[in-house]
Amino acid sequence: MQVIKNIIFDFGGVLVGLDRERCIGAFARIGAGAVAGYVDECRQEDLFHDLEVGNTDVAGFCEAVRRACPGCTASDEAVCDAWNALLTGIPRDRLDKLAELRGDYRLVLLSNTNPIHWRKAVADYFTSAGLSVGDYFERTFLSYEMHLLKPGEEIFRRVLADSGMAAGETLFIDDSAANCAAARRLGITAMHAGKGGEWIDLL
């Protein structure tokens, strides 16, 4: 950490908690159980991929859910609520640690995410300790805005170039081994935090 000046944080699993079973149940309750396999396996395919990489908007995603699930007549709001059931919030100790680290390091967020989850997080989770996303992170890099996904190396190159960060001075924290491997190939130090908030103790 003596050479580290910048820290890139993942969002899902590292900051925000995830509950797949709750999300699967929520989809089933609105008659959209046919999409449960995508949630259970975290598959970046088809309608979920298109939303996450920015190839469709929220309305298009909700319509795709209804098309994939014959008999589902849920409103867009109900579909979004079901998809947001995956998120369980950001524990206070993680937010406090981010605020502490911001005093000594440049912090940015890099996430494979979608506008449904991100709007929920901005409105309800990051503000729970009285601060905003901008108080924690200098920049946010979101897959649906960049039209790129981890573990593709191009998304890491874009983050480094756009933020002016040097790879050798940067730590990347993610719960995916594949994402960490991609970062390391570019000279970024990577920490595989596979158990949620374990990065607090590791740091």
Side-chain angles (χ1 to χ4, degrees):
M1 292 297 291
Q2 292 178 344
V3 300
I4 297 298
K5 298 180 180 179
N6 323 300
I7 305 178
I8 302 173
F9 277 89
D10 179 35
F11 176 56
V14 171
L15 297 180
V16 71
L18 306 176
D19 188 334
R20 298 180 192 176
E21 290 303 317
R22 187 173 77 165
C23 184
I24 290 169
F27 273 122
R29 285 190 292 275
I30 64 169
V35 302
Y38 293 94
V39 178
D40 187 44
E41 301 169 18
C42 288
R43 286 159 51 196
Q44 294 172 319
E45 298 175 9
D46 304 329
L47 66 167
F48 287 89
H49 171 274
D50 288 342
L51 183 66
E52 198 163 89
V53 80
N55 289 341
T56 190
D57 59 12
V58 172
F61 170 78
C62 294
E63 182 57 33
V65 169
R66 289 187 288 267
R67 285 198 307 268
C69 305
C72 176
T73 59
S75 66
D76 287 5
E77 182 180 5
V79 172
C80 290
D81 287 345
W83 190 207
N84 276 333
L86 179 67
L87 310 181
T88 63
I90 304 176
R92 180 61 183 265
D93 62 338
R94 300 180 194 181
L95 291 174
D96 289 346
K97 191 63 175 180
L98 287 178
E100 176 188 331
L101 291 169
R102 183 69 192 266
D104 297 313
Y105 302 93
R106 294 178 64 192
L107 303 188
V108 302
L109 182 139
L110 170 61
S111 178
N112 286 354
T113 192
N114 60 80
I116 297 173
H117 286 168
W118 187 245
R119 290 168 190 168
K120 175 72 172 176
V122 169
D124 296 340
Y125 300 152
F126 284 107
T127 57
S128 64
L131 300 176
S132 68
V133 174
D135 293 318
Y136 296 111
F137 296 106
E138 177 182 309
R139 295 277 301 272
T140 58
F141 296 90
L142 311 174
S143 62
Y144 75 91
E145 294 179 339
M146 300 175 74
H147 304 288
L148 294 168
L149 289 171
K150 298 177 287 184
E153 293 182 12
E154 181 59 26
I155 196 169
F156 292 99
R157 292 192 184 95
R158 282 272 302 275
V159 171
L160 292 175
D162 290 356
S163 64
M165 294 178 173
E169 297 175 344
T170 302
L171 172 66
F172 172 58
I173 304 174
D174 198 288
D175 65 341
S176 163
N179 294 344
C180 288
R184 290 188 186 106
R185 287 194 293 271
L186 297 178
I188 300 169
T189 299
M191 177 188 293
H192 181 209
K195 297 180 181 178
E198 68 174 332
W199 57 269
I200 295 177
D201 294 330
L202 292 172
L203 286 179

PDB file of all heavy atoms in Angstrom, residues 7 51 69 83 89 108 192:
ATOM      1  N   ILE A   7      -7.598   3.825  -5.539  1.00  0.00           N
ATOM      2  CA  ILE A   7      -8.307   2.567  -5.306  1.00  0.00           C
ATOM      3  C   ILE A   7      -9.574   2.557  -6.163  1.00  0.00           C
ATOM      4  O   ILE A   7     -10.382   3.491  -6.099  1.00  0.00           O
ATOM      5  CB  ILE A   7      -8.693   2.369  -3.830  1.00  0.00           C
ATOM      6  CG1 ILE A   7      -7.464   2.488  -2.928  1.00  0.00           C
ATOM      7  CG2 ILE A   7      -9.350   0.995  -3.640  1.00  0.00           C
ATOM      8  CD1 ILE A   7      -7.768   2.349  -1.437  1.00  0.00           C
ATOM      9  N   LEU A  51     -29.252  -4.742 -20.876  1.00  0.00           N
ATOM     10  CA  LEU A  51     -29.449  -3.665 -19.906  1.00  0.00           C
ATOM     11  C   LEU A  51     -28.123  -3.247 -19.289  1.00  0.00           C
ATOM     12  O   LEU A  51     -27.840  -2.064 -19.135  1.00  0.00           O
ATOM     13  CB  LEU A  51     -30.423  -4.116 -18.815  1.00  0.00           C
ATOM     14  CG  LEU A  51     -30.786  -3.069 -17.758  1.00  0.00           C
ATOM     15  CD1 LEU A  51     -31.582  -1.921 -18.377  1.00  0.00           C
ATOM     16  CD2 LEU A  51     -31.568  -3.706 -16.614  1.00  0.00           C
ATOM     17  N   CYS A  69     -41.680 -14.119 -20.287  1.00  0.00           N
ATOM     18  CA  CYS A  69     -42.491 -14.783 -19.260  1.00  0.00           C
ATOM     19  C   CYS A  69     -43.967 -14.691 -19.635  1.00  0.00           C
ATOM     20  O   CYS A  69     -44.666 -13.758 -19.194  1.00  0.00           O
ATOM     21  CB  CYS A  69     -42.255 -14.155 -17.891  1.00  0.00           C
ATOM     22  SG  CYS A  69     -40.529 -14.129 -17.388  1.00  0.00           S
ATOM     23  N   TRP A  83     -36.250  -6.719  -9.666  1.00  0.00           N
ATOM     24  CA  TRP A  83     -34.819  -6.763  -9.979  1.00  0.00           C
ATOM     25  C   TRP A  83     -34.012  -6.103  -8.863  1.00  0.00           C
ATOM     26  O   TRP A  83     -32.930  -6.559  -8.500  1.00  0.00           O
ATOM     27  CB  TRP A  83     -34.577  -6.085 -11.319  1.00  0.00           C
ATOM     28  CG  TRP A  83     -33.222  -6.208 -11.946  1.00  0.00           C
ATOM     29  CD1 TRP A  83     -32.671  -5.304 -12.795  1.00  0.00           C
ATOM     30  CD2 TRP A  83     -32.246  -7.263 -11.847  1.00  0.00           C
ATOM     31  NE1 TRP A  83     -31.420  -5.717 -13.212  1.00  0.00           N
ATOM     32  CE2 TRP A  83     -31.143  -6.916 -12.640  1.00  0.00           C
ATOM     33  CE3 TRP A  83     -32.214  -8.459 -11.141  1.00  0.00           C
ATOM     34  CZ2 TRP A  83     -30.003  -7.725 -12.748  1.00  0.00           C
ATOM     35  CZ3 TRP A  83     -31.075  -9.269 -11.253  1.00  0.00           C
ATOM     36  CH2 TRP A  83     -30.000  -8.901 -12.049  1.00  0.00           C
ATOM     37  N   GLY A  89     -28.543  -3.490   0.307  1.00  0.00           N
ATOM     38  CA  GLY A  89     -28.021  -2.280   0.937  1.00  0.00           C
ATOM     39  C   GLY A  89     -26.519  -2.334   1.139  1.00  0.00           C
ATOM     40  O   GLY A  89     -25.871  -3.366   0.917  1.00  0.00           O
ATOM     41  N   VAL A 108     -12.322   5.653  -7.029  1.00  0.00           N
ATOM     42  CA  VAL A 108     -13.307   5.619  -8.101  1.00  0.00           C
ATOM     43  C   VAL A 108     -14.053   4.295  -8.012  1.00  0.00           C
ATOM     44  O   VAL A 108     -13.591   3.337  -7.388  1.00  0.00           O
ATOM     45  CB  VAL A 108     -12.682   5.775  -9.513  1.00  0.00           C
ATOM     46  CG1 VAL A 108     -11.898   7.071  -9.610  1.00  0.00           C
ATOM     47  CG2 VAL A 108     -11.817   4.582  -9.876  1.00  0.00           C
ATOM     48  N   HIS A 192      -8.782  -9.707  -4.555  1.00  0.00           N
ATOM     49  CA  HIS A 192     -10.002 -10.487  -4.752  1.00  0.00           C
ATOM     50  C   HIS A 192     -10.714 -10.610  -3.409  1.00  0.00           C
ATOM     51  O   HIS A 192     -10.315 -11.383  -2.554  1.00  0.00           O
ATOM     52  CB  HIS A 192      -9.668 -11.874  -5.319  1.00  0.00           C
ATOM     53  CG  HIS A 192     -10.871 -12.724  -5.562  1.00  0.00           C
ATOM     54  ND1 HIS A 192     -10.838 -14.098  -5.507  1.00  0.00           N
ATOM     55  CD2 HIS A 192     -12.154 -12.395  -5.855  1.00  0.00           C
ATOM     56  CE1 HIS A 192     -12.054 -14.583  -5.752  1.00  0.00           C
ATOM     57  NE2 HIS A 192     -12.860 -13.567  -5.974  1.00  0.00           N
TER      58      HIS A 192
END
